[in-house]
Amino acid sequence: MAHLDDIIARVDATIAAGVIAPMNELLIALSDDAALSREERYEQQQRLRVAIAHHGRHHREEAEHEAEARREHLTSGGTIL
């Protein structure tokens, strides 16, 4: 059980950091972790997949918001500045 606890802590820390590359690396590393059961491995991988999906959605929404703000700024008063 200690190995699973270590893996859960690693997944928690990786998700908290919010950086996609380490999330993907851990996702791949978990695929080869023979010390975990199939269910344990799947559960931790799924947590990473969900975090990656949320991260991508958040960045897309931010980019759309920034584009809209820029468009509003450039066309303020109906005139392109």
Side-chain angles (χ1 to χ4, degrees), residues 31-45:
S31 296
D32 299 326
D33 193 331
L36 296 175
S37 71
R38 181 177 179 205
E39 292 79 20
E40 292 167 339
R41 190 170 42 250
Y42 177 80
E43 182 179 332
Q44 298 312 309
Q45 287 177 315

Side-chain angles (χ1 to χ4, degrees), residues 2-4 10-11 13-14 20 23 30 32-33 35-36 39-40 50 64 66-67 71 76 78:
H3 180 64
L4 177 59
R10 283 182 61 196
V11 170
T14 304
I20 296 291
M23 288 184 209
L30 286 172
D32 299 326
D33 193 331
L36 296 175
E39 292 79 20
E40 292 167 339
V50 168
E64 289 171 0
E66 289 173 9
R71 202 171 10 262
S76 63

Side-chain angles (χ1 to χ4, degrees), residues 1 5-6 9 13 16 18-20 24 39 58 64 68 70-71:
M1 208 45 133
D5 293 337
D6 290 342
V19 180
I20 296 291
N24 280 327
E39 292 79 20
H58 176 72
E64 289 171 0
E68 181 62 30
R70 179 169 169 72
R71 202 171 10 262

